[in-house]
Amino acid sequence: MKKRVNKNAKIIFITAQNDEKTIEKAIKVKPETYLTKPVKKVDILAAIRIVLLKKSSDYVILKDGYENIKILKSDIIFIKSDKNYIDIHTVSKKYTFRISLENFAEILNDTNFQRVHRCYIINIKKAVKKTRLSVFVENYEIPLSRNIIFDLDFQE
């Protein structure tokens, strides 16, 4: 029987063994976490939630006609809305999709992104300067809404 390997599988070790030899073997497999028995239900659920959060936080996939486009979140500079269309500005190109900014924000679901205006969401990690009326994200000047208050944390 052929051994199949799923390279995308995430591993959570659950074992009654907590000796050094067992832990070393587990580390070689690169698990997401290592739980020892007796395991509480809340610990298992927390481990699963962390794995899912890590997995889903790297990119977004949007449908463009018959194609699915995968965009790394770290590549996104800002998103601009024009009614039911958005322009996603990335480090390499601009993508246009038919989706509202509100719906895209739900898909994005990432604390590194901040809505700064009714038409704009920015990647806070790419922001370089903030004034009273605008925020500068890389080489772009994005208008700020008077109703939205947020701080940029330039310590990283």
Side-chain angles (χ1 to χ4, degrees):
M1 186 168 162
K2 184 178 177 185
K3 186 176 182 182
R4 293 190 312 161
V5 177
N6 182 349
K7 295 183 184 199
N8 295 322
K10 302 297 180 192
I11 298 170
I12 299 173
F13 260 89
I14 302 174
T15 181
Q17 309 298 318
N18 59 4
D19 60 284
E20 195 63 35
K21 188 177 178 182
T22 305
I23 293 170
E24 289 300 319
K25 284 181 180 178
I27 289 172
K28 288 179 184 176
V29 179
K30 298 179 182 171
E32 295 297 314
T33 191
Y34 185 94
L35 302 173
T36 55
K37 292 179 183 178
V39 181
K40 297 178 192 156
K41 181 179 178 182
V42 72
D43 292 338
I44 293 173
L45 293 175
I48 292 169
R49 288 181 70 189
I50 289 169
V51 168
L52 292 174
L53 182 64
K54 283 182 184 178
K55 182 180 177 187
S56 67
S57 64
D58 295 346
Y59 56 86
V60 292
I61 297 176
L62 293 168
K63 195 164 184 67
D64 185 22
Y66 294 107
E67 298 178 340
N68 288 324
I69 309 291
K70 178 179 175 180
I71 303 171
L72 289 174
K73 289 182 181 181
S74 60
D75 286 349
I76 298 173
I77 300 169
F78 69 93
I79 302 99
K80 181 182 179 187
S81 168
D82 184 14
K83 298 181 183 168
N84 284 333
Y85 288 88
I86 60 168
D87 292 329
I88 301 174
H89 294 259
T90 69
V91 293
S92 59
K93 77 182 270 190
K94 179 179 93 170
Y95 299 92
T96 301
F97 296 99
R98 189 175 195 280
I99 184 173
S100 71
L101 193 62
E102 291 79 20
N103 289 343
F104 182 72
E106 288 178 20
I107 293 169
L108 196 57
N109 190 23
D110 192 315
T111 58
N112 291 322
F113 292 87
Q114 171 71 45
R115 186 151 188 182
V116 295
H117 186 273
R118 66 183 172 86
C119 297
Y120 289 93
I121 293 175
I122 65 164
N123 184 340
I124 292 174
K125 290 192 178 271
K126 303 224 184 262
V128 292
K129 180 172 119 179
K130 178 184 171 195
T131 66
R132 189 173 62 81
L133 299 175
S134 60
V135 61
F136 293 83
V137 185
E138 293 200 355
N139 296 325
Y140 300 95
E141 182 177 5
I142 309 295
L144 281 177
S145 173
R146 288 177 284 182
N147 302 331
I148 296 174
I149 298 170
F150 73 98
D151 287 325
L152 292 178
D153 184 13
F154 290 116
Q155 304 168 6
E156 189 142 336

